Amino acid sequence: MILERAVLVLVVALAAFPAGLALVNLWLYRRPRLEQGRQRPALSLLVPARNEAASIEACVESALASTGVELEVVVMDDDSTDGTGEIVRRIAERDPRVRLESAPALPEGWNGKQHACARLAERASHEVLVFVDADVRLTP
């Protein structure tokens, strides 16, 4: 009986230790912290867009609400006929983090979205590239 109780206490203690460490880590590191004097992480949010007038503004605006990062939002308008480019241009006029690019001609053997993503990657300013579709809504 005493041996069984000792084994039970040992098992509970061994199980509780990593769980306790996990809780301490969650509490201490619940938000990424930057070292003092270090710059914010930088990323390029890249959006290939073709006829996305209904959703592009909400996509870009949700990205611009991001905090804690140096951000550029690059939208590549792929010959839209619904005003997608004009919407992005209007946002770019008031926020220098937004840039509108026009898709070059599609080379033989390429598909539209893949080609737009490849050209966006070439035009990005930052090393970290995040590709999203125009119907994506980000939270800060």
Side-chain angles (χ1 to χ4, degrees):
M1 177 93 169
I2 294 176
L3 182 59
E4 290 172 352
R5 186 176 271 173
V7 169
L8 179 62
V9 168
L10 180 63
V11 168
V12 169
L14 289 174
F17 182 71
L21 285 177
L23 289 174
V24 167
N25 282 331
L26 284 173
W27 182 75
L28 289 176
Y29 302 104
R30 63 185 173 273
R31 288 187 178 189
R33 297 179 186 178
L34 297 175
E35 297 171 16
Q36 202 166 25
R38 188 173 161 212
Q39 291 182 339
R40 298 180 302 169
L43 67 89
S44 296
L45 186 84
L46 308 172
V47 186
R50 180 178 173 92
N51 292 331
E52 297 286 356
S55 61
I56 194 68
E57 185 170 14
C59 175
V60 172
E61 293 293 349
S62 72
L64 293 174
S66 297
T67 59
V69 295
E70 182 180 330
L71 173 73
E72 77 166 340
V73 178
V74 185
V75 177
M76 181 159 288
D77 182 23
D78 192 5
D79 294 324
S80 296
T81 58
D82 66 350
T84 298
E86 289 79 20
I87 294 167
V88 176
R89 190 173 293 107
R90 188 180 73 239
I91 298 169
E93 286 173 359
R94 67 173 157 62
D95 195 317
R97 298 175 294 170
V98 178
R99 192 168 78 236
L100 176 65
E101 297 280 345
S102 295
L106 187 65
E108 188 176 328
W110 281 80
N111 291 317
K113 185 175 279 190
Q114 291 83 355
H115 181 249
C117 288
R119 301 298 75 87
L120 280 164
E122 291 172 351
R123 293 180 174 131
S125 300
H126 303 299
E127 288 185 23
V128 177
L129 309 180
V130 178
F131 293 89
V132 297
D133 283 333
D135 58 355
V136 170
R137 304 299 175 264
L138 303 171
T139 57

